[in-house]
Amino acid sequence: MTKLTDVFKNMQEIMSANEYSDARFEADCLIEYVLGRPRPFYGTDYLVSSEREDKLYSLCEKRKNGYPLQYILGKWQFFDMELSVGEGVLIPRQDTEDVCLRAFDYIKKFNSPNVLDLCSGTGAIALAIKKYCPAANVVALEKYDDAYRYLEKNIKDTGLSILPIKADVFRFDYVIEPQTFDVIISNPPYIDEKLKGKLQTEVSFEPDTALFAGQNGLWFYKFIAKYYYKTIKDDGYLIFEYGYDQADDVRYIVESNQYAVEKEIVDTRGNPRGIIARKFRDISSKILD
């Protein structure tokens, strides 16, 4: 038996070897995960059993080696929702919250908007829209089995009424009637395929299918901007999240496909992070090579 205060100190020392770890915060998270309650609840004299101590140190070693904290916990906060996450699905991030906050204002312009979330993953965006824009009719599209299971679970756990569809973004446009959606929103894969194997270790545990895209990371933007154009109602919106260095490219793509840029979104660190574009006339467009 070891005092929790000593275990807490040892946990921080282990995880501090990972430069991307917030050792104190993550030690607190792991203690709550293993012991069932936040550390301050137990007091300074609380003793940890050898079995639980070993488990805590084992998880710290896993985290030290780059395995995502979110996957260890199996849950992560997005706005005030606790979403299930794990291997096979992208971890929701603050950047996406920043994009959603701006998107809400535009979605609320419609009385009962039809909203499509492409590449939905955990359903974070779709669920946030339904929670904070409750009049919206939200459809969440996800292709991959592992991610789709998390999408379905998060819909069930949150109790929010959105429609999940298991389908491929590159084929689903064919089955949508013209002028169906008031808003299409997406945080698609956007990292250049040439960067595979060159990102920080934490990211390497997330699915490649949710991270990397061809044509310098721009392929999804090019496809969606062109082929989903007809499915957006006149004066509806196309909303993208993108990488901090992709603002000029994505702006060029949407403008070249006959959208008018209404807002460019910056994240809490002041980096470009997304775009809101309006479909201002229903004419055919040409995809960019």
Side-chain angles (χ1 to χ4, degrees), residues 6 23 25 37 105 109 148 158 164 174 196 209 213 286 289:
D6 294 329
F25 167 74
R37 297 198 182 191
D105 295 335
K109 291 183 178 183
Y148 191 77
T158 60
Y174 290 113
K196 283 185 181 181
T209 51
K286 181 185 291 186
D289 293 328

Side-chain angles (χ1 to χ4, degrees), residues 5-6 16 39 45 53 78 135 137 159 165 181 188 211 217-218 220 225 228-229 248 258 275 281:
T5 51
D6 294 329
S16 64
R39 179 174 54 89
D45 295 326
E53 183 179 2
F78 189 76
N137 307 299
I165 295 178
F181 291 102
L211 296 171
L218 299 171
F220 281 82
Y228 283 83
Y229 182 91
D248 291 343
Q258 307 303 328
I275 195 166
R281 61 177 181 267

